[in-house]
Amino acid sequence: MPKTHVDLAPLRVGKGRRPRLDRRDPGDDLGLDRDDEADILADLTERLERQQGLLAASRRSLLAVFQGVDAAGKDGVIKALGHAMQPMLIHLRGFSTPTKPELAHDYLWRVHQETPEKGRMSLFNRSHYEDVLVVRVDELVPRDVWEPRFEQINRFEQFLTDNGTTIVKFMLHVSPDEQLERLRERVHNPIKRWKHNPDDYARRAQWDEYAEAYEDAIRRTSRPDAPWLIVPADRKWVRNIVVMQAIAEALEGMDLAEPPLPEDLPEELRHAPAP
Ligand code: AMP
Ligand code: MG
């Protein structure tokens, strides 16, 4: 029997638990066989399309947050999701260095504007978590400013959940060796060169500090309503399957109802088309 389903439970971080990134293998294939990839993706695509259609007819929404070091695969997995779903129903937002107006507001201001409309999903390429990650590592604000943010973020996310938004958070866990390979690829492949940023290489010197910042952020903000998943991300195809399955499961867990047949249909629309 080929394995077509990943057990996501071990990837999910329980409330108050340490993710222990050092004990997780970024190269893990989770027992999947690459020969089954196409079948698994076809099945996940069908599930996602169905759930996306039900979501669009509902008053609920979904927010997926993607975090990870440079070249961890945030862009790549979002591209895969775009293939599997109707892009018109997806709101995409990447969070870079804050602009002047953004810096003039509280750090959640720019984030709240991008949370999903009812019926939609938002995919965040980086997020408010940068405000407890890069901001901490680079000491952009003092500890007594970033430290209370964990609780502020929990309350913000709770508020979104209370208002109908399901939240899933993905930490794309890549190894330093794989990251270096990908940074090299960005330099030498002209099609990927637009992604090259010398700072990404320089930041490798801060690997341990980022690891510590991620450990804390994940431990302090993973909750049953807004869990973190640690995605083994050295193999892009495994990463894509894990994320797509987790989003499919999150949507299925929302128990979205099929919308009823519209009332007062004109005669010609009353009969279902031949299959
Ligand atoms: P990229 O994802 O490659 O477009 O890079 C975006 C950059 O913006 C990364 O280096 C992030 O660390 C940085 N960034 C994102 N959010 C913040 C923030 N709130 N404060 C400072 N830098 C940020
Ligand atoms: Mg970058």
Side-chain angles (χ1 to χ4, degrees), residues 64-76:
V65 166
F66 296 94
Q67 286 287 160
V69 297
D70 301 295
K74 301 181 289 297
D75 299 14

Side-chain angles (χ1 to χ4, degrees), residues 68-229:
V69 297
D70 301 295
K74 301 181 289 297
D75 299 14
V77 78
I78 287 170
K79 182 175 164 204
L81 287 166
H83 269 293
M85 288 188 280
Q86 166 58 270
M88 289 293 284
L89 296 173
I90 297 177
H91 178 65
L92 267 185
R93 171 68 148 96
F95 292 96
S96 297
T97 317
T99 61
K100 237 178 150 189
E102 287 169 353
L103 280 175
H105 289 82
D106 69 82
Y107 68 100
L108 292 175
W109 178 74
R110 65 172 183 168
V111 175
H112 202 171
Q113 298 178 59
E114 310 290 343
T115 56
E117 291 176 27
K118 298 197 186 299
R120 301 288 194 269
M121 67 178 75
S122 286
L123 306 181
F124 283 1
N125 187 336
R126 303 187 190 269
S127 64
H128 42 301
Y129 284 96
E130 291 294 324
D131 292 282
V132 288
L133 294 168
V134 61
V135 163
R136 167 180 178 173
V137 172
D138 285 351
E139 299 180 25
L140 302 180
V141 300
R143 177 179 272 268
D144 66 343
V145 173
W146 60 255
E147 174 96 39
R149 288 182 174 171
F150 298 124
E151 262 327 295
Q152 293 165 7
I153 287 173
N154 285 335
R155 291 202 298 269
F156 171 65
E157 292 183 356
Q158 183 69 56
F159 170 80
L160 297 178
T161 306
D162 290 346
N163 283 279
T165 302
T166 293
I167 302 175
V168 213
K169 302 179 290 202
F170 299 97
M171 193 276 176
L172 306 185
H173 186 213
V174 82
S175 64
D177 287 350
E178 176 63 21
Q179 188 206 34
L180 186 57
E181 277 307 299
R182 294 183 189 177
L183 294 181
R184 243 188 226 133
E185 167 83 1
R186 289 179 179 188
V187 172
H188 294 282
N189 178 347
I191 295 166
K192 297 209 171 165
R193 206 166 284 149
W194 64 276
K195 286 198 188 197
H196 170 66
N197 175 351
D199 296 346
D200 295 354
Y201 180 76
R203 244 194 306 272
R204 281 169 58 80
Q206 298 168 306
W207 191 277
D208 293 343
E209 290 154 76
Y210 270 102
E212 191 190 344
Y214 267 106
E215 282 286 324
D216 279 350
I218 292 169
R219 174 173 60 83
R220 300 193 51 184
T221 61
S222 204
R223 297 174 304 109
D225 269 354
W228 276 102
L229 265 87

